[in-house]
Amino acid sequence: MRAGNLLIYAGIALVAVGVMVRLGWFSWFGRLPGDIRSEGDNASFFFPITSMILVSVVASILLTVFDRFFRN
């Protein structure tokens, strides 16, 4: 029963994030200071290091909060 509820909440969260991305609320993502972007005539290189650090910090915080609230 708990796994089913978790899947439902995760699905709702994914739909909400998808709507926000579709509406352009995350247009700043990938353009943060520290994201490396290099464009030449025939090639381009993009390494979103700052954006991925931000994703890692947010995911760690969310997983810690969920672990504390949903622990048996």
Side-chain angles (χ1 to χ4, degrees):
M1 181 82 171
R2 291 182 63 101
N5 288 341
L6 181 63
L7 286 173
I8 290 171
Y9 295 139
I12 291 170
L14 283 174
V15 168
V17 170
V19 168
M20 289 187 278
V21 168
R22 182 76 175 162
L23 292 175
W25 289 8
F26 292 109
S27 61
W28 53 268
F29 190 75
R31 295 182 181 92
L32 295 173
D35 289 342
I36 300 170
R37 182 182 309 251
S38 176
E39 296 181 10
D41 292 336
N42 295 327
S44 63
F45 177 76
F46 177 61
F47 187 64
I49 190 163
T50 307
S51 297
M52 291 301 103
I53 290 172
L54 180 66
V55 167
S56 176
V57 168
V58 170
S60 295
I61 291 170
L62 287 176
L63 289 174
T64 301
V65 168
F66 285 139
D67 183 48
R68 289 181 191 241
F69 282 117
F70 295 115
R71 186 178 293 186
N72 289 336

